[in-house]
Amino acid sequence: LIAHGLPPSMPAMIVENGTTPKQRVVAGDLSSLPGLAQRSSVASPTLIVVGEVVGLRSVQGNVVTTSTEVALIDHADQISIS
């Protein structure tokens, strides 16, 4: 997407196992998302969302991210940072 003109800073996220109790979200921008996904061991099924709409999501107890680290909050409210 970057090679075709989108800015590297464009917000992007991956939703793994969406709408299930196992849902995880990994968010960053187009330049950081591949590395975040790899470090988070994202597996299918996934949905990739790109654009300003990513900023409209509300974090409801499963994931908080930055461009340099991913904090996954499981359903038992335990936090692990990778």
Side-chain angles (χ1 to χ4, degrees):
L1 294 172
I2 294 170
H4 291 280
L6 287 179
S9 61
M10 177 69 68
M13 71 180 178
I14 298 172
V15 180
E16 177 185 85
N17 292 306
T19 73
T20 73
K22 294 182 179 182
Q23 176 175 309
R24 290 193 311 156
V25 175
V26 178
D29 56 33
L30 285 178
S31 65
S32 67
L33 198 61
L36 291 170
Q38 186 174 25
R39 288 193 303 276
S40 301
S41 301
V42 172
S44 64
T46 61
L47 173 69
I48 299 173
V49 180
V50 176
E52 297 301 325
V53 68
V54 171
L56 299 177
R57 81 184 198 291
S58 64
V59 177
Q60 297 188 11
N62 62 349
V63 174
V64 178
T65 64
T66 70
S67 61
T68 57
E69 65 184 27
V70 179
L72 300 174
I73 304 170
D74 67 20
H75 293 282
D77 295 322
Q78 297 176 348
I79 300 175
S80 63
I81 297 179
S82 45

